[in-house]
Amino acid sequence: MFLSVNRKFFSSLTLAGLLVALVIFAGCWSKNINIPYYTQITSYYCGAASAQMILKCPKINKYVDQHTLYNYIHSHNQCSGWASGPAGLRD
């Protein structure tokens, strides 16, 4: 029993150490890129909200409403079943 308790303790200690190292490492490589956050205004405007955030980033700084973005993205979809297909987002 002592051996199994020690294995559990050391394996959890190793896992905890690994998680701490990952948090520290991720913190060293994080960078604030100052992208505004927009929530999607419908349950299916996730692509439009994502595109809206990208377009409003400091280097582009364009505001386009989600209805316009959704209509544009949806009209350029090449895959059926997608509200915001990858091709529509790319274009």
Side-chain angles (χ1 to χ4, degrees), residues 20-75:
V20 168
L22 285 173
V23 167
I24 291 170
F25 182 72
C28 292
W29 291 96
S30 67
K31 181 179 179 181
N32 184 355
I33 55 175
N34 199 23
I35 301 295
Y37 180 74
Y38 292 101
T39 58
Q40 60 192 69
I41 58 175
T42 70
S43 62
Y44 52 91
Y45 274 16
C46 52
S50 299
Q52 190 177 38
M53 288 184 263
I54 292 167
L55 290 171
K56 195 61 182 156
C57 75
K59 287 188 177 186
I60 301 171
N61 199 25
K62 302 279 185 212
Y63 177 82
V64 183
D65 67 87
Q66 289 183 26
H67 297 294
T68 302
L69 287 168
Y70 174 80
N71 289 331
Y72 180 84
I73 294 166
H74 194 69
S75 69

